Amino acid sequence: MTQNSVHPADAGLVLPQYRRDDIDAHPPLLSPGYKSTVGRAPKQPLTYLPQRLTEITGPLLGEGRLGDLDHDLTRQHDGEPQGQRIIVHGRVRDGDGRPVPHTLVEIWQANAAGRYRHASDTWPAPLDPHFEGVGRALTDERGRYRFITVQPGAYPWRNHDNAWRPAHIHFSLFGRAFTQRLVTQMYFPGDPLFFQDPIFNSVRDPDARNRMVARYDHATTVPEWALAYEFDIVLRGRASTPFEGEDDDE
């Protein structure tokens, strides 16, 4: 998407609140409280581009693209990462409640100290040499996925005064073609930072916001080893999980 050379706030422009046209629960592409959307939200109505053969047929996403430890972020290095070990699991379903099998689910997250392994993340929190913060898995025939990772920490992000992102894990879901991708974030129950996070609060429907918060799952929690959280993802319909407009670094 092309951005104007003049920042909208400097030009005194009032931009339209363009939204996806399938459900109002998704956040608007322009959410002024989330400052980076002001510079990147579309200035004109969205135009849907046709999917041609190249977009539909490749690249291929499937079992052959997965490593043995892609789903377990705690075993991708020789040493153990720091932090509380957690299990994150759930189901991917369509708008009619049917499971979506064999779809690629990717996650990325900060480490237990709230820092990403990324060149632009330089705030003074320690990097963990035994944690990359990236995982991927395929749903099974019943639409189920499962990751083992560590509880991510909160981190500052300079969006507003004393701004801290709540602990979260980014989720990306691919369909059977590379252009069929949806991105969302999973939050943890009872986080005290929800009140001041414009990304979380850009989803204005409280019920939809709650669908981005995982459920603590004591039945799946493993004694003396890992806490468990359940996070189901619904792709369409009134109960759909809110998805982001673009890929975000935060």
Side-chain angles (χ1 to χ4, degrees):
M1 123 189 1
T2 302
Q3 297 185 6
N4 296 336
S5 59
V6 178
H7 194 284
D10 297 333
L13 300 178
V14 178
L15 300 180
Q17 296 283 329
Y18 291 122
R19 298 172 180 266
R20 294 169 185 78
D21 56 9
D22 52 352
I23 186 170
D24 288 338
H26 294 315
L29 298 176
L30 174 63
S31 297
Y34 178 14
K35 289 184 178 179
S36 63
T37 70
V38 177
R40 72 186 185 195
K43 312 303 187 294
Q44 301 294 329
L46 301 181
T47 299
Y48 290 93
L49 300 177
Q51 291 186 359
R52 296 182 173 85
L53 187 62
T54 301
E55 288 82 24
I56 296 173
T57 58
L60 297 177
L61 307 170
E63 292 84 350
R65 301 286 180 170
L66 295 178
D68 292 338
L69 297 178
D70 282 1
H71 71 288
D72 189 342
L73 286 66
T74 68
R75 295 169 56 209
Q76 294 172 354
H77 292 270
D78 292 336
E80 288 270 354
Q82 296 294 309
Q84 171 66 60
R85 187 186 292 110
I86 61 174
I87 299 166
V88 178
H89 73 103
R91 296 181 69 194
V92 179
R93 295 180 287 120
D94 64 18
D96 295 321
R98 296 171 298 191
V100 180
H102 313 304
T103 192
L104 181 65
V105 181
E106 294 182 334
I107 63 171
W108 65 97
Q109 64 170 91
N111 66 19
R115 187 168 175 184
Y116 288 96
R117 185 175 291 278
H118 191 283
S120 65
D121 191 349
T122 58
W123 81 286
L127 284 172
D128 189 335
H130 304 302
F131 189 73
E132 294 290 335
V134 178
R136 55 187 356 206
L138 281 179
T139 58
D140 65 14
E141 66 280 357
R142 297 173 60 186
R144 299 174 302 186
Y145 72 87
R146 185 175 185 268
F147 290 99
I148 303 171
T149 183
V150 298
Q151 174 90 23
Y155 58 84
W157 66 304
R158 301 178 182 176
N159 185 76
H160 51 277
D161 182 55
N162 202 11
W164 291 78
R165 290 293 333 273
H168 60 279
I169 297 177
H170 297 266
F171 273 72
S172 168
L173 287 87
F174 284 94
R176 302 311 298 172
F178 192 72
T179 55
Q180 297 172 338
R181 187 189 188 203
L182 296 172
V183 178
T184 190
Q185 297 183 26
M186 186 200 91
Y187 298 89
F188 292 86
D191 197 303
L193 295 172
F194 283 154
F195 79 98
Q196 59 88 67
D197 185 62
I199 296 180
F200 180 74
N201 290 297
S202 67
V203 179
R204 295 165 184 169
D205 181 349
D207 291 336
R209 275 201 305 273
N210 289 336
R211 293 197 290 272
M212 296 189 296
V213 180
R215 180 184 70 86
Y216 171 66
D217 182 2
H218 196 68
T220 305
T221 292
V222 179
E224 301 181 28
W225 190 73
L227 299 176
Y229 293 91
E230 185 177 24
F231 184 59
D232 290 343
I233 299 173
V234 181
L235 301 182
R236 297 181 184 276
R238 295 181 61 83
S240 68
T241 304
F243 294 100
E244 300 172 6
E246 297 183 19
D247 300 347
D248 292 315
D249 295 331
E250 290 84 26

